[in-house]
Amino acid sequence: MKPIILILSFAAAALLVFVLMRAGEKPPPAAIENLPWQIEILADGGSRVFGLELGLSTLGDARQRFGQDMQLAVVASPGESGALEAYYIRFTAGVLSGKMILVGMLDQVGVEQMRKHALKAEFMDSSTRKFVLHPDDLALAYQAPIGSITFIADAHFDAATAVKRFGEPEVRIRSSETVEHFLYPQKGLDLQLDAQGKEVLQYVAPRQFARLRDPLVKKALQQEIQGR
């Protein structure tokens, strides 16, 4: 019996040492979520970014996920009905901070009704106007699916950093002397790098990427023609 007791004693002592050693170890760091390059591509041609599925998740879902300090308004350029937009003046994307803008998918009739009911209209710049929603229109606004997401990063990163995080773009289009667009159709991402300003990341469902690409291609062709 004594050998068995001795073996059990050694086993118990070894287990105790193992437990004490593990107790002194630091737990593994938690995975960082909601980073701008964490884009989940879905089988139906959609995508999920910042925990929101473009075209399916609503502005209300975003408000529930990111907080109630969301600002809602119809934003319109001269001669346009505008679009329903939601803003987070301060938004944290993983370890990056910046501003987030979400565009709600609402038909023109709905947008124009919200403009008519607006509490007030403010100029955002020399021409673009912001129509602050009436409380009676908030419920409808929160039901609107998210058509696109724009993240304006506070931190600056260059082309090398962009390629490291997002991969090589399929197309690069320069829209000015300081601004270049890295286009990722399969991710539904237009990454705008500005040598003299802030980086802008615009997301749509990959199946709708033409909404981002076509205006850039058209502008680039016009600039090429004018430069000849």
Side-chain angles (χ1 to χ4, degrees), residues 118-130:
L119 295 177
K120 60 179 179 179
E122 304 171 346
F123 280 100
M124 299 178 64
D125 52 35
S126 60
S127 58
T128 304
R129 300 177 72 187
K130 178 176 71 173

Side-chain angles (χ1 to χ4, degrees), residues 53-65:
E53 184 174 340
L54 289 158
L56 184 62
S57 298
T58 65
L59 295 180
D61 294 330
R63 182 171 181 262
Q64 185 175 11
R65 184 176 181 84

Side-chain angles (χ1 to χ4, degrees), residues 33 41 67 83-84 91 109 111 119 136 138 142 177 182 186:
E33 298 180 347
I41 310 304
L84 173 62
F91 177 78
V109 173
V111 169
L119 295 177
D136 291 346
L138 293 179
Y142 290 137
E177 292 183 2
F182 283 30
Q186 295 182 348

Side-chain angles (χ1 to χ4, degrees), residues 36 151 153 157-159 161-163 165-167 169 171 173 179-184 188-194 199-203 209 212 216:
F151 176 63
F157 46 93
D158 56 16
T161 303
V163 170
R165 296 301 185 186
F166 297 92
V171 181
I173 297 178
V179 176
E180 186 174 19
H181 295 261
F182 283 30
L183 302 185
Y184 299 86
L189 171 65
D190 169 17
L191 170 55
Q192 174 183 311
L193 299 180
D194 190 340
E199 273 58 60
V200 178
L201 298 87
Q202 192 168 3
Y203 305 84
F209 191 72
L212 300 181
L216 291 173

Side-chain angles (χ1 to χ4, degrees), residues 44-110:
D44 63 353
S47 61
R48 184 180 291 109
V49 61
F50 304 124
L52 300 171
E53 184 174 340
L54 289 158
L56 184 62
S57 298
T58 65
L59 295 180
D61 294 330
R63 182 171 181 262
Q64 185 175 11
R65 184 176 181 84
F66 301 131
Q68 299 185 8
D69 56 336
M70 171 188 283
Q71 300 180 26
L72 283 166
V74 170
V75 176
S77 298
E80 298 181 353
S81 298
L84 173 62
E85 297 188 4
Y87 300 81
Y88 280 101
I89 301 301
R90 299 304 305 169
F91 177 78
T92 301
V95 295
L96 301 176
S97 61
K99 177 181 178 181
M100 172 181 276
I101 304 170
L102 307 101
V103 178
M105 298 168 62
L106 190 65
D107 59 39
Q108 184 175 348
V109 173

